Amino acid sequence: GENVEQHPSTLSVQEGDSAVIKCTYSDSASNYFPWYKQELGKRPQLIIDIRSNVGEKKDQRIAVTLNKTAKHFSLHITETQPEDSAVYFCAASMMYNFNKFYFGSGTKLNVKP
Amino acid sequence: SQTIHQWPATLVQPVGSPLSLECTVEGTSNPNLYWYRQAAGRGLQLLFYSVGIGQISSEVPQNLSASRPQDRQFILSSKKLLLSDSGFYLCAWSVLSASISGNTIYFGEGSWLTVV
């Protein structure tokens, strides 16, 4: 089955700096990669996603890049703000088949004001 | 639009007592349904998934079970809870769709279970 690894497990940045979270996956058949943000005590919420036919996608201060050859994808947050502090999860899935989502172990991001 | 409801939000149960968590999805048909567990400060562990009524697949052996009596209803149960069953339980759904928003997974509000 698919194995998704996520690094780092914790990340502390100064407000205004950039944050990068990286994930690798093992199954080359995976073709859909969503990212979720989970605030303390709440449900994970989708923040951005990317399909395997796209190398990069951007939405305001967040962007995701995908390297299919190397089987890794990354989340980039620019101009971080204290409200970005949360746990972020990456996931891998195969579209057009049953959607079995494999999640990374999470990254706790702390943005210091 | 689609919504997912999960209850109860919190519960404290003694060891050896039964458990029933319920989840319903509205605004979609034939969703894929999931139960995840999240231990404190940990990642998301897939417990069960279902592609249709009465069809349940288990990811990890445990003393929990799941049932899907209706298309949009998913229930997580246990006959006898263990201390290790404590955690944050999340119901989720997805649908197969050509649109990217239709392929992602959406989570319910979650249920905090403390076994004492």
Side-chain angles (χ1 to χ4, degrees):
Chain A
E2 174 66 279
N3 180 44
V4 178
E5 295 190 356
Q6 182 172 346
H7 302 281
S9 57
T10 59
L11 179 60
S12 189
V13 300
Q14 205 67 38
E15 182 177 359
D17 289 349
S18 295
V20 180
I21 302 170
K22 299 182 179 182
C23 288
T24 61
Y25 61 100
S26 60
D27 193 338
S28 57
S30 291
N31 55 14
Y32 174 64
F33 307 93
W35 285 88
Y36 291 82
K37 175 184 180 182
Q38 185 180 29
E39 297 178 348
L40 190 62
K42 297 191 176 180
R43 69 179 117 182
Q45 300 253 15
L46 178 72
I47 56 172
I48 195 168
D49 51 17
I50 191 168
R51 294 185 186 188
S52 59
N53 60 349
V54 175
E56 184 175 357
K57 183 177 177 182
K58 191 173 181 181
D59 182 5
Q60 298 182 357
R61 295 187 298 107
I62 60 172
V64 57
T65 58
L66 171 66
N67 184 324
K68 282 174 54 180
T69 304
K71 292 201 283 259
H72 67 71
F73 56 113
S74 300
L75 178 71
H76 304 253
I77 306 174
T78 58
E79 301 172 22
T80 54
Q81 301 167 3
E83 51 265 38
D84 294 329
S85 295
V87 178
Y88 292 81
F89 291 96
C90 63
S93 178
M94 281 171 261
M95 292 197 307
Y96 312 122
N97 287 313
F98 169 68
N99 288 117
K100 198 167 175 180
F101 289 80
Y102 297 87
F103 284 86
S105 52
T107 296
K108 185 174 182 180
L109 174 64
N110 179 36
V111 180
K112 296 176 285 186
Chain B
S1 64
Q2 301 89 351
T3 56
I4 178 169
H5 300 286
Q6 181 181 344
W7 68 93
T10 60
L11 65 164
V12 180
Q13 295 284 100
V15 169
S17 65
L19 170 73
S20 181
L21 301 178
E22 190 166 341
C23 169
T24 59
V25 181
E26 297 175 359
T28 188
S29 297
N30 197 30
N32 300 320
L33 297 173
Y34 312 78
W35 279 109
Y36 283 86
R37 176 170 61 198
Q38 188 175 30
R42 305 294 294 274
L44 297 161
Q45 180 188 30
L46 178 62
L47 301 176
F48 300 94
Y49 62 92
S50 171
V51 299
I53 296 173
Q55 300 178 63
I56 310 295
S57 296
S58 174
E59 279 293 289
V60 293
Q62 58 222 317
N63 69 323
L64 300 171
S65 62
S67 61
R68 185 170 177 173
Q70 300 180 43
D71 180 45
R72 289 171 288 177
Q73 183 185 25
F74 206 23
I75 298 171
L76 182 70
S77 305
S78 174
K79 293 182 179 179
K80 288 186 177 182
L81 284 168
L82 306 173
L83 286 174
S84 57
D85 291 324
S86 294
F88 189 44
Y89 288 81
L90 289 156
C91 182
W93 70 275
S94 72
V95 291
L96 292 177
S97 168
S99 72
I100 200 165
S101 62
N103 281 108
T104 199
I105 188 170
Y106 297 95
F107 291 92
E109 304 94 331
S111 298
W112 285 100
L113 170 64
T114 303
V115 182
V116 296

